[in-house]
Amino acid sequence: MANEPSELLVIRGARAVDPSAGLDGVVDVVIERGVIRRIGVGAATADLLGSERARVIEAQNHWILPGFVDLHAHLREPGQEYKEDIASGLAAAAAGGFAHVCAMPNTRPVNDTRAITEAMIARAREVSPVALHPIGAITMGQRGQDLTEMADLRDAGAVAVSDDGRCVTSSAVMRRALEYAKTFDLPVIQHAEDHALTEGAQMHEGETSTRLGLRGWPRVAEDIIVARDVLLAEVTRARYHVAHVSSFGSVRILREAKSRGLGVTAEVTPHHLLLTDASVIGYDTACKVNPPVREEIDRRALVEALADGSLDCIATDHAPHSPLEKDCEFAEASPGMIGLELVFPLLLGLVRDGAVPLARLVDALTAAPARIIGLEAPRLAEGRMAELCLVAPDLSWTIDAARLRTKSKNTPFLGRTVTGAILLTLAGGRLAYERAP
Ligand SMILES: [Zn+2]
């Protein structure tokens, strides 16, 4: 169970970074009953520091960031709780600095109704202060044919619609979905994959797939769908969002669309920003993801597009699988890797390398995704509910399965030493996570 707030929490001398509040400076933060009461230089007055009811955290050399928002996680409940459930998924999210998580609808059964959406939100409220925002399906059963009752889904709390895991391949269905979702102001999130071009695909199509003898998933299968959907979004003027962009071609199409003022947005995952198809050479099933990790030319294009905002936000595509789905032949393995707990420490490397400014990384994890789903973004400002994380940017640690809160351990980053750790997360005004020393 989540802990109750300490009545008075004082964080002293941390660097607070919140681009949406125009903030980057060393401050004290005073949180009382879950609300940020004061933030600024000298906010921790002698009175407060002497108060018996105050918990004081000396945070020199630490950072305070707004709580993160994930647009794309698979929490597996209902139906596959042996991989993850809402409690373990939200515990992992809190450990990763997240205050808000969107749950994809490819559960068993599929979240295509008001009842499932409501049940997920109710369960989340019982088990975690981290807010869960369901994403409803675009089509009933994610079968790509009949549209869901999007008004019901929205009224129940869904923040977007997606058939993620499957692409809406029919242009007619996609057009109707965009038109329909627009009337409810819901973004339509596409898993862009022309399935006719990816049948039996195991990894990115290129020299490496040829060498390994694995069937390839060509970039163009993504690019075709993104290009078509941008044209449909232009006709319908609906809100269109591309999930887990993986190819340089998609980036080019999105840049062009944005330059014409279309309301299209996109996300990128940590693994597409960090890995290439070379990671598959040892047939490590932890590196099998959909869409696949591609080549250096793609990875570089994704990093540049994240840096310049052509890719709006970072989403984890947290996809837990048990050893049943991963300790097997590469061809039989299910695609996906976990991400909620690792995204920030892993991506901090891009900031250190000078590839992405820290303010952009923070924006891409907080205000940018919040804007896409119409959520009021967590903010470091007086009077706002405390939704924030405290980070030790210089703390090195080795990623170890025993430390992870997710039920599944499918990540190729196990054993890697990273620098940067989430020390504490407040979500919904409450303490959602505190790192064990
Ligand atoms: Zn997907």
Side-chain angles (χ1 to χ4, degrees), residues 72 74 104 106 162-167 189-193 243-244 267 290-291 317:
H72 194 143
H74 299 276
M104 279 297 176
N106 60 336
S162 180
D163 272 359
D164 185 57
R166 298 285 303 169
C167 181
I189 302 178
Q190 177 71 291
H191 168 116
E193 173 180 0
H244 44 51
E267 70 191 34
N290 189 25
D317 196 3

Side-chain angles (χ1 to χ4, degrees), residues 1-2 75-79 81 84-91 103 115-134 156 407 430:
M1 283 301 292
L75 300 185
R76 306 301 190 205
E77 180 178 353
E81 289 86 351
E84 193 81 289
D85 58 31
I86 288 172
S88 64
L90 294 183
I116 296 174
T117 301
E118 285 174 347
M120 288 170 71
I121 293 173
R123 178 67 186 148
R125 286 190 179 143
E126 281 170 20
V127 296
S128 176
V130 175
L132 180 151
H133 306 280
K407 282 188 188 177
R430 293 198 282 154

Side-chain angles (χ1 to χ4, degrees), residues 63 347-359 361:
W63 297 347
L347 294 184
L348 205 46
L350 294 176
V351 174
R352 266 189 220 100
D353 297 345
V356 179
L358 177 61
L361 179 68

